[in-house]
Amino acid sequence: MGIIYILGILIIGALAAFFVDDLNRKWTGPVAMLFGFGAAVALAVLPESRINLPVLGFTLHWEMDALARFFAWIVLGLSALALMYSVKYMEGRARQGYFYAAFLTSVAGMFGVTVSKDLLSFFIFWEIMTWTSFLVAIYNAYYGVETKGIKYIIFSAIGAYAMLTAMVLALGQYHSLEFGDLATAGAFRLTSGSWYIPVLLLLGFAVKAAVVPLHVWAPAVYPKTPMSFTTVFSGAMSKMGILGMLLILTGIFHSGRVGELAALRLSLGWLGGLTAAWATLQAIRQNDAKDLLAWSSVAQLGYIVTAVSTGTRLGLMAALYLTLLHAAFKGSLFMVAGAVEKQAGTTDFRKISGLIKRMPWTFLTALIAIISLAGIPPLGGFVGKWLLYESLISETHSYFLVILIFFASTSAFLYSYRFLFGLFLGQEEEEAKQVKEASWWMLIPMLALSMVSIATGMFPGLVFGPASRALESIGLPAGNWDMSILSNVWGNQTDVFTVGSTVGILFVLWALFITFKGKKNTRWLTTKEISTSGEIPAPEDNFTFQRGFFKPFERAVGRLYRWDMDAMWEDIGAALEAFFGFIRKIYTGNAQTYAMYVIVFVVLLILFRNYIF
């Protein structure tokens, strides 16, 4: 009954937060936080469970197996920290009951998705998750902030209709909606007569995972949503698409058919690679930290999709490892952006900079997260990238895809630098001198997520164990994973703890050396003394960060920036609008017009009866 308890805690918490807000608003956030942590504690102490619930002739199958527990920890753990962060982030805002009720209900939907073992349950919880997250996404519209929630719900509707169509076809052809039964019957195989079922399902999951070209909603919605929820939006909800992919692709992974695996690796792998590369290029050119992180989130999801496409044990291990790490470092980075927004009033690099002295703990969190994102030892991002490259090279031999992923990964250093320098390391402006460090209600969740990046880098076995059991639950062979050892097919081993400790010690010693060595010679620079990388500045330019630093790179890839996917979807929307406008002219609502249509139709039937019948 553990599943029911957790769902009950979250739903009761949503109702409690909604009604407490009317009584005393200052308690709304703490009440929601308590229920969020209560759900996480329940997950930790309650045993694995299985529920079969008959509803209207269908049987809903919920099960807390190793795979469900792995994703449930991401959802509930990150959500609990985000709710704690929200207590101060949302302080002073209106309609907090609405916000927290939608927040907790969305978390309940995500948890339901993780435990669903049939398509009907999966779809019901998926829609709960989507619609309640939409309510949070448009929350800032109350304050006159332009939101892009309509774009999110339109793409979500496309994915939902694709999933619903696949469900109807699966039920009609295989008379079951159970993931296990459908996989055994071959419903998810691309070479079967029902190839359209997995394609439609993967379309729905690709929308939530923000795969190119279905990604355009994410960069539009993430920055406009309250950052406390964007942490969950990006870190956990996008992973529901990854979970769906794993459940559907299990049949292909187990089939052993070379043609199916090759088609999957070619299509899904390159879509993931293109997502990573394209979103990275877009992140580099952003002038606002929230916009940069939104594009970065899409890029990081591209790596995970590429890892899933391999279908190998090592590749899927990389997918699960990166799934957890992305939740940790991207969750903390969105919290950093929210803290800066709360304390400084903006996250625009052109308006605020030099916050390292004013917000040192926030800077430390950002630094740890950026190092993990960039895949630098000794943090967890290095381990995830290692596994991904090793899988692509040694198991699937996708060498050109490795080049694309490597390009995206190395280019990510540019936007990582831009984020750190733009907010923290540039020349301090007058606007920054009144900024104070964020509340500990916000700092503790940020630092906790930073510790996840450090711990998983030093001891990757903390993730290898649960991830290996999760893969076993979907039929993959068990693996032997040591706590701090990475091994490869060539027989070499690397003690990550030793590497991480060495790098960490050297980093600390170097930081102390340059700090004390240059202490006496330090002088303040004016904004005009900061490099513009040879670019001619405009009179209105603010030199709080190296404005021209990225211009040479942007010119080098300028042709790629001309391809505007938003414009492509807008053209499709305009064409559909014109088509429906034409249809509207036909359906006038006039009875005489409809009678004329009937007469014309009957005449055509008589004239062409020999051809028709």
Side-chain angles (χ1 to χ4, degrees):
M1 296 295 290
I3 296 173
I4 298 295
Y5 288 144
I6 295 173
L7 286 173
I9 290 171
L10 293 170
I11 296 302
I12 293 172
L15 294 173
F18 185 80
F19 290 110
V20 165
D21 189 58
D22 289 333
L23 300 175
N24 193 333
R25 178 163 297 164
K26 73 176 183 179
W27 289 105
T28 309
V31 166
M33 180 194 72
L34 289 175
F35 279 97
F37 273 97
V41 171
L43 178 64
V45 300
L46 293 175
E48 294 187 3
S49 58
R50 177 188 179 102
I51 297 174
N52 290 312
L53 184 65
V55 176
L56 299 176
F58 295 95
T59 299
L60 306 182
H61 179 193
W62 306 341
E63 184 175 352
M64 179 61 73
D65 57 11
L67 181 67
R69 188 174 289 274
F70 184 90
F71 279 90
W73 266 119
I74 294 175
V75 170
L76 297 182
L78 185 60
S79 298
L81 293 174
L83 285 165
M84 181 180 180
Y85 176 92
S86 289
V87 172
K88 280 297 180 181
Y89 178 80
M90 295 296 296
E91 190 176 53
R93 299 198 181 195
R95 303 195 306 162
Q96 291 191 33
Y98 159 90
F99 172 82
Y100 284 111
F103 193 132
L104 285 167
T105 307
S106 181
V107 174
M110 284 185 276
F111 175 74
V113 168
T114 66
V115 299
S116 296
K117 300 303 176 185
D118 66 279
L119 278 171
L120 181 58
S121 296
F122 196 97
F123 183 77
I124 291 172
F125 284 119
W126 186 276
E127 287 300 281
I128 293 173
M129 170 187 74
T130 298
W131 281 99
T132 50
S133 62
F134 167 71
L135 294 178
V136 182
I138 62 174
Y139 171 84
N140 281 331
Y142 177 80
Y143 292 96
V145 178
E146 181 187 0
T147 63
K148 301 291 184 180
I150 189 65
K151 184 178 289 188
Y152 169 53
I153 205 63
I154 287 174
F155 276 89
S156 295
I158 293 172
Y161 280 122
M163 293 168 61
L164 185 61
T165 303
M167 287 170 54
V168 173
L169 294 173
L171 184 63
Q173 188 164 344
Y174 295 96
H175 310 292
S176 176
L177 291 176
E178 291 277 339
F179 282 111
D181 294 344
L182 292 172
T184 302
F188 300 146
R189 290 179 179 172
L190 297 175
T191 55
S192 67
S194 56
W195 57 268
Y196 40 81
I197 293 177
V199 169
L200 288 170
L201 289 171
L202 289 174
L203 175 63
F205 302 146
V207 170
K208 196 65 69 180
V211 176
V212 168
L214 304 172
H215 69 288
V216 295
W217 64 269
V221 173
Y222 286 167
K224 303 298 183 181
T225 304
M227 287 294 101
S228 55
F229 187 76
T230 304
T231 297
V232 178
F233 218 155
S234 169
M237 193 178 298
S238 61
K239 307 310 185 307
M240 299 302 98
I242 302 299
L243 173 61
M245 290 181 184
L246 285 173
L247 293 173
I248 297 304
L249 297 175
T250 299
I252 301 175
F253 296 154
H254 293 169
S255 70
R257 301 186 182 187
V258 177
E260 283 186 284
L261 288 174
L264 174 66
R265 288 168 180 165
L266 181 64
S267 56
L268 197 57
W270 277 93
L271 279 175
L274 290 172
T275 299
W278 174 255
T280 296
L281 293 176
Q282 295 297 327
I284 290 170
R285 67 192 306 204
Q286 303 305 313
N287 289 317
D288 189 284
K290 293 190 293 184
D291 293 330
L292 184 152
L293 292 178
W295 280 105
S296 172
S297 292
V298 176
Q300 297 300 318
L301 287 168
Y303 298 128
I304 300 174
V305 171
T306 300
V308 169
S309 74
T310 63
T312 65
R313 188 180 67 180
L314 190 60
L316 295 178
M317 178 64 72
L320 292 183
Y321 204 100
L322 289 170
T323 293
L324 176 65
L325 261 294
H326 177 260
F329 64 68
K330 194 49 60 69
S332 62
L333 283 173
F334 274 115
M335 287 183 179
V336 167
V340 172
E341 180 186 43
K342 178 77 172 178
Q343 301 303 109
T346 182
T347 54
D348 192 323
F349 302 141
R350 296 163 296 185
K351 297 179 181 178
I352 195 73
S353 187
L355 295 176
I356 184 171
K357 292 176 61 180
R358 308 296 170 180
M359 305 180 71
W361 289 105
T362 302
F363 167 73
L364 178 62
T365 302
L367 179 63
I368 294 172
I370 285 294
I371 292 174
S372 185
L373 181 152
I376 301 172
L379 303 188
F382 163 73
V383 179
K385 294 285 182 68
W386 178 305
L387 295 175
L388 175 58
Y389 285 129
E390 187 176 334
S391 173
L392 292 174
I393 293 172
S394 63
E395 292 187 329
T396 65
H397 309 294
S398 306
Y399 302 116
F400 290 106
L401 187 54
V402 169
I403 295 173
L404 182 62
I405 292 295
F406 184 74
F407 166 77
S409 183
T410 52
S411 298
F413 281 93
L414 293 176
Y415 71 69
S416 298
Y417 171 81
R418 190 166 203 160
F419 181 87
L420 280 178
F421 191 93
L423 289 181
F424 298 101
L425 302 178
Q427 174 66 38
E428 185 181 78
E429 295 296 303
E430 286 296 326
E431 296 86 348
K433 293 181 178 179
Q434 305 302 319
V435 175
K436 296 181 180 180
E437 181 59 276
S439 165
W440 282 103
W441 284 91
M442 302 170 74
L443 289 173
I444 290 174
M446 292 158 56
L447 293 170
L449 291 173
S450 298
M451 293 303 103
V452 172
S453 291
I454 294 174
T456 54
M458 304 290 280
F459 302 101
L462 294 172
V463 183
F464 286 161
S468 183
R469 291 190 292 272
L471 295 178
E472 289 176 42
S473 70
I474 56 175
L476 270 77
N480 296 319
W481 306 98
D482 294 318
M483 180 59 73
S484 62
I485 299 292
L486 289 178
S487 60
N488 57 49
V489 294
W490 302 292
N492 303 319
Q493 290 187 336
T494 300
D495 188 330
V496 181
F497 182 79
T498 302
V499 173
S501 300
T502 303
V503 173
I505 292 171
L506 291 175
F507 178 82
V508 172
L509 291 175
W510 177 251
L512 292 174
F513 173 74
I514 62 174
T515 298
F516 289 104
K517 181 179 182 299
K519 188 174 183 180
K520 294 182 179 179
N521 299 322
T522 299
R523 71 181 181 90
W524 287 103
L525 297 175
T526 67
T527 54
K528 294 299 181 184
E529 291 181 284
I530 295 179
S531 169
T532 61
S533 297
E535 300 295 323
I536 300 175
E540 68 276 8
D541 284 347
N542 187 337
F543 292 91
T544 55
F545 77 108
Q546 293 179 352
R547 184 176 179 85
F549 185 82
F550 303 92
K551 292 297 183 182
F553 181 85
E554 291 179 4
R555 280 195 290 268
V557 296
R559 290 184 178 274
L560 296 177
Y561 285 131
R562 296 176 187 174
W563 186 26
D564 189 349
M565 293 190 186
D566 277 291
M568 178 189 74
W569 286 110
E570 289 172 3
D571 290 342
I572 293 174
L576 289 173
E577 186 177 3
F579 173 74
F580 293 136
F582 172 74
I583 296 297
R584 181 68 184 87
K585 293 178 180 179
I586 296 176
Y587 292 95
T588 62
N590 187 297
Q592 293 179 338
T593 304
Y594 291 153
M596 184 184 69
Y597 290 162
V598 172
I599 294 172
V600 171
F601 179 71
V602 171
V603 170
L604 290 174
L605 283 179
I606 295 173
L607 292 176
F608 297 99
R609 62 185 181 279
N610 293 331
Y611 299 98
I612 297 175
F613 303 105

